[in-house]
């Protein structure tokens, strides 16, 4: 099996990388996070011009017919540059959910999402570290041939800015989870926005008998959407790990104590070696799992192994990087703490590593 990127994927990766190197350095990113803007409209438009926003969708729906490995190819760069734009929320979750609906309104929203004209959100988390569909508690109540949603969703990425929101809820108290679409500004819809610890815009959203249109209750389809989002999140995490490894290694080879680089001390050298091993393990699992998904051979256990390993190893790399840098590694001025916070935030979404590793242990 060939695990390397294709020529086309490498070209896309190079183009996105050059743009981010030139226009999305750490200082620029920090100015953006401190501003009132939730993300960069210019960067989002550039992503649209690269074709990233249309990449996962079929050509019949105006997309580019890309695969999950195409997304992984550039997602590592999003992690390396700590991108705050809602790519996973709007494209891989909200957008791909809209794509499975035959409803004319949903297809019109999908067209706007692909062009960058509209943002889609995806409401899944319910405040208890919701890791799986079976833990969904929000109920969709049948009403006049449609549904209404009542309850709360938390930490919805781009939830306050999204033009259209896809919500996971049960069809009745004991029904199976399904996807519903809600338009921003509907009666009974109230969003309270905030900035996450890693600089992204999110919102807690209250629903009070909000009218909703059902998209699908196909469990296999919903899990595939979630799994693709998890893989791309893991790719972002691996990109952040790579940046931390590079930054920490460079620091250890230039920072001197007693007239020699601290990297020459046995304890620091061993820590750097452990970081390298952890990064290699995480990236190998990412590439292998992506190949399994691409070939249709991946199981839920494979996804749990990837999510569990990436979360655990990312936390270890972040802590090792801060220990190597000392107190300066905790400051807001240095990128080290921001990478660590991004790794912690990615680990928390769709279930922390402890949950997924328990799933692996239970077979």
């Amino acid at each position: 099996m060939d695990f390397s990127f294709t020529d086309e994927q490498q070209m896309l990766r190079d183009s996105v990388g050059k743009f981010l190197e030139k226009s999305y350095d750490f200082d620029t990113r920090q100015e953006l996070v401190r501003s009132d803007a939730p993300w960069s409209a210019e960067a989002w438009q550039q992503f649209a011009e690269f074709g990233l926003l249309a990449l996962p969708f079929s050509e019949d729906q105006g997309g580019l017919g890309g695969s999950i490995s195409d997304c992984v190819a550039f997602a590592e760069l999003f992690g390396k540059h700590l991108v705050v734009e809602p790519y996973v929320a709007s494209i891989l979750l909200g957008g791909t959910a809209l794509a499975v609906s035959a409803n004319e309104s949903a297809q019109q929203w999908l067209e706007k999402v692909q062009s960058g004209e509209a943002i889609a959100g995806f409401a899944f988390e319910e405040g208890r570290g919701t890791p799986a569909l079976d833990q969904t508690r929000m109920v969709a109540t049948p009403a006049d041939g449609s549904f209404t949603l009542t309850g709360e969703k938390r930490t919805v990425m781009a939830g306050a800015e999204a033009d259209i929101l896809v919500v996971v809820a049960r069809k009745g108290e004991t029904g199976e989870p399904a996807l519903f679409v809600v338009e921003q500004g509907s009666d009974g819809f109230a969003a309270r926005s905030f900035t996450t610890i890693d600089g992204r815009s999110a919102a807690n959203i209250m629903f009070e008998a909000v009218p909703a249109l059902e998209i699908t209750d196909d469990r296999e389809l919903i899990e595939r959407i979630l799994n693709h989002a998890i893989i791309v999140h893991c790719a972002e995490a691996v990109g952040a790990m790579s940046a931390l490894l590079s930054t920490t290694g460079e620091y250890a080879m230039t920072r001197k104590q007693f007239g020699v680089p601290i990297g020459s001390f046995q304890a620091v050298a061993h820590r750097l070696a452990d970081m390298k091993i952890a990064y290699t393990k995480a990236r190998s699992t990412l590439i292998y799992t992506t190949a399994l998904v691409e070939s249709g051979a991946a199981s839920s256990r494979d996804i749990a192994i990837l999510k569990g390993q990436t979360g655990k190893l990312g936390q270890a790399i972040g802590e090792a990087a801060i220990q190597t840098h000392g107190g300066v590694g905790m400051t807001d001025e240095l990128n080290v703490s921001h990478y660590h916070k991004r790794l912690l935030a990615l680990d928390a979404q769709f279930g922390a590593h402890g949950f997924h590793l328990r799933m692996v242990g239970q077979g």
Side-chain angles (χ1 to χ4, degrees), residues 225-252:
I225 291 171
L226 292 173
N227 288 343
H228 283 194
I230 288 172
I231 291 171
V232 172
H233 266 175
C234 290
E236 285 192 44
V238 168
M241 290 182 214
S242 172
L244 272 178
L245 180 61
S246 174
T247 299
T248 307
E250 183 179 345
Y251 178 79

Side-chain angles (χ1 to χ4, degrees), residues 273-295:
D274 287 341
M275 291 176 68
K276 177 70 173 179
I277 292 170
Y279 165 71
T280 303
K281 191 174 178 181
R283 190 166 195 272
S284 300
T285 307
L286 168 68
I287 300 300
Y288 178 68
T289 307
T290 303
L292 287 178
V293 172
E294 191 95 341
S295 65

Side-chain angles (χ1 to χ4, degrees), residues 5 13 72 74-80 235 238-239 279 283 286:
F5 293 125
R13 190 177 163 91
V72 167
F74 64 82
E76 284 183 273
L77 302 171
F78 280 8
K80 179 181 177 182
V238 168
Y279 165 71
R283 190 166 195 272
L286 168 68

Side-chain angles (χ1 to χ4, degrees), residues 104-160:
E104 184 179 351
S105 174
Q107 291 301 310
Q108 289 173 350
W109 277 113
L110 175 61
E111 187 176 338
K112 293 179 181 178
V113 168
Q114 289 184 69
S115 66
E117 185 183 345
I119 295 293
F122 191 83
F124 179 66
E125 171 64 47
E126 295 188 353
R128 298 181 297 275
T130 310
L133 276 177
D134 286 336
Q135 295 191 16
T136 300
R137 294 292 178 267
M138 177 178 275
V139 174
T141 305
D144 299 329
S146 185
F147 290 88
T148 61
L149 300 177
T150 300
E152 183 180 21
K153 291 289 185 180
R154 302 180 69 87
T155 321
V156 180
M157 295 299 163

Side-chain angles (χ1 to χ4, degrees), residues 173-212:
E173 293 286 345
T174 58
E176 287 293 311
L179 300 181
F180 299 86
V181 64
V182 172
E183 293 193 18
Q184 181 75 266
S186 298
D187 291 340
F189 181 99
R192 182 171 60 84
S193 63
F194 60 93
T195 302
T196 62
I197 60 168
D198 61 330
R200 291 178 291 173
S201 178
N204 294 334
I205 301 177
M206 291 297 301
F207 297 82
E208 185 63 43
V210 177

